[in-house]
Amino acid sequence: MINKYYDTDCNLSMLDGKTVAVIGFGSQGHAHSENLAESGVNVVVGLRKGSGHWAKAAAFAETCPNFKVMEVEEAAKAGDIVMMLVPDEMAADVYNKQVAPHMTEGKTLAFAHGFNIHFQAVQPPKNVDVIMIAPKGPGHTVRSQYVQGKGVPSLIAIHQDYTGKAKETALAYASGIGAGRAGILETTFREETETDLFGEQAVLCGGVCELIMAGFDTLVEAGYAPEMAYFETCHEMKLIVDLINEGGLAKMRYSVSNTAEYGDYRTGKRIITEETRQEMKKILGEIQDGTFASEFLTEMSPTGGRRTHFLAQRRVAAGHAIEKVGTELRKMMSWLKK
Ligand code: NDP
Ligand code: MG
């Protein structure tokens, strides 16, 4: 079983007198930096000049004396621990140009996702620690839970332990963002990266979106109203997923009607067939052998694929009938955020 840690296992005071540089102030960046600062850690946020997030970070700095905003390079220089919270496809470029020159002996380089280290897009020097602290939730939850005195369970991993204190640093950082209140689980860069990519491709994003669209198309092609198809194959997904999230598959099956539960057992295996499971194994193989990482980094590179295929696919997907009918129906739902 995986090792689990709580605040009592963490020594936050090991960060006393040190500075954490958080590069980026997006979803994760704002949560990590604000939580750490309110936990008493010295924080500098590194942003590019003209960043859309600069004003928001500067406003927080007004409320907190141990929190400063500066340009990426200056922050990387100031930080004893440098946490990279820029989009994964940008990290290598930002690291090589603005962070690497300041990764001097004994510093710590940190990530919230293992991708760039595991696939060697970022190659840190041998004389620094390399760690991961990855909350299992979006930044706004990491922040809102912290403010309520709670936390989001988070993963830690050690890629390189030069100082002999890499794990203590990871635990202290995790505690500083509130994770020790909920639980800290120890994994490896490889395990986190490969399971994360597999989950989002095969199940959460790729799997779910295609499942919804296939169900919608089947009903519409059979002559049913697109509005009905939308309600039954897309809108109600949240109800089911919330129940699973709260109490596992059993709670969902307990809450739906016996008719729905019987249909679930009867039909599920005809949708996710042995062939689907074989394909999942192939997809996992392409993640493990770097095929996906190399394809993704090439496609997203400003000098390589220039996002051509990525943006074209986004445009095609946005044109699907389910998006049009969904836009209209969601206008009738006053509780949804605009
Ligand atoms: P966001 O897209 O929300 O934030 C990106 C930040 O990076 C912005 O502040 C942006 O600045 C900055 N940035 C982008 N490009 C550059 C650049 N060239 N130079 C300097 N700054 C730049 O990212 P996320 O918070 O979603 O992701 C950060 C990391 O956290 C990733 O490794 C991700 O995998 C991981 N993660 C994300 C989770 C999530 O729920 N989102 C959950 C767990 C891990 P600007 O203001 O200038 O646009
Ligand atoms: Mg994930």
Side-chain angles (χ1 to χ4, degrees), residues 28 32 83-89 91 110-119 130-136 155 157 188-198 200 292 296:
Q28 290 292 316
H32 291 222
M83 172 54 107
M84 299 293 297
L85 294 178
V86 302
D88 295 310
E89 70 274 18
F111 293 84
H113 180 29
F115 186 92
N116 279 284
I117 290 293
H118 179 62
F119 291 115
V130 181
I131 63 175
M132 171 168 41
I133 302 95
K136 294 315 294 173
L155 307 176
T188 62
F189 273 66
R190 170 173 180 245
E191 184 175 55
E192 187 275 340
T193 304
E194 294 175 356
T195 56
D196 186 78
L197 293 173
F198 178 80
E200 62 205 18
F292 170 77
F296 173 68

Side-chain angles (χ1 to χ4, degrees), residues 258-268:
N258 287 340
T259 328
E261 185 181 355
Y262 184 82
D264 165 351
Y265 300 134
R266 181 175 189 273
T267 301

